[in-house]
Amino acid sequence: MKKFLLFCLSLVIVYTIAYDLKIGTLQSYSSKPAPVSAVSIKNSTPYKKVKVSSGDTVLSIIEKVNPASLSKPIPEIIKDFQRYNHNIRPESIQVGRMYNFPVYKELKH
């Protein structure tokens, strides 16, 4: 009887883990993000919508979007990315989805 209960308990645990990995139990963002209004704040950074490909990171995409040498600190880049994407963390981006990436203007000396 103990072996049977242990077997049932292990089945429940395996099922729970499989369900959590496949479907998840945390509330997710809706598939349609809320519309982002055009940049209307003075001195704010413009952005560009980019579809994420396999292997892309927030920093690699920002380097592609900003071909000139980028002199912004990483915490500021992350803050701008989160501001334009409803506080989505950079490590949470998903392949195939569109995100707004900041476009920084080059400072002229």
Side-chain angles (χ1 to χ4, degrees):
M1 185 68 169
K2 288 182 184 179
K3 288 182 181 181
F4 177 74
L5 289 176
L6 186 60
F7 176 74
C8 290
L9 180 63
S10 62
L11 282 178
V12 168
I13 291 172
V14 169
Y15 174 79
T16 304
I17 291 171
Y19 180 85
D20 191 42
L21 291 175
K22 183 176 180 183
I23 298 173
T25 56
L26 297 176
Q27 182 180 11
S28 63
Y29 293 102
S30 66
S31 60
K32 290 185 177 180
V36 177
S37 62
V39 180
S40 61
I41 303 171
K42 269 192 172 179
N43 297 327
S44 68
T45 308
Y47 63 89
K48 182 177 179 182
K49 275 192 162 313
V50 178
K51 187 174 185 178
V52 176
S53 300
S54 180
D56 283 343
T57 64
V58 169
L59 292 178
S60 69
I61 294 172
I62 287 180
E63 287 175 350
K64 291 176 191 173
V65 171
N66 298 282
S69 63
L70 190 62
S71 62
K72 294 280 184 184
I74 292 175
E76 186 175 335
I77 292 170
I78 291 171
K79 183 179 172 185
D80 289 340
F81 174 79
Q82 289 179 322
R83 181 177 60 190
Y84 289 126
N85 293 287
H86 309 288
N87 290 323
I88 294 175
R89 295 188 329 251
E91 58 272 8
S92 299
I93 63 173
Q94 297 176 353
V95 174
R97 290 193 126 181
M98 298 286 286
Y99 296 97
N100 300 320
F101 290 89
V103 177
Y104 298 105
K105 294 180 182 177
E106 187 177 335
L107 294 175
K108 297 182 180 179
H109 297 288

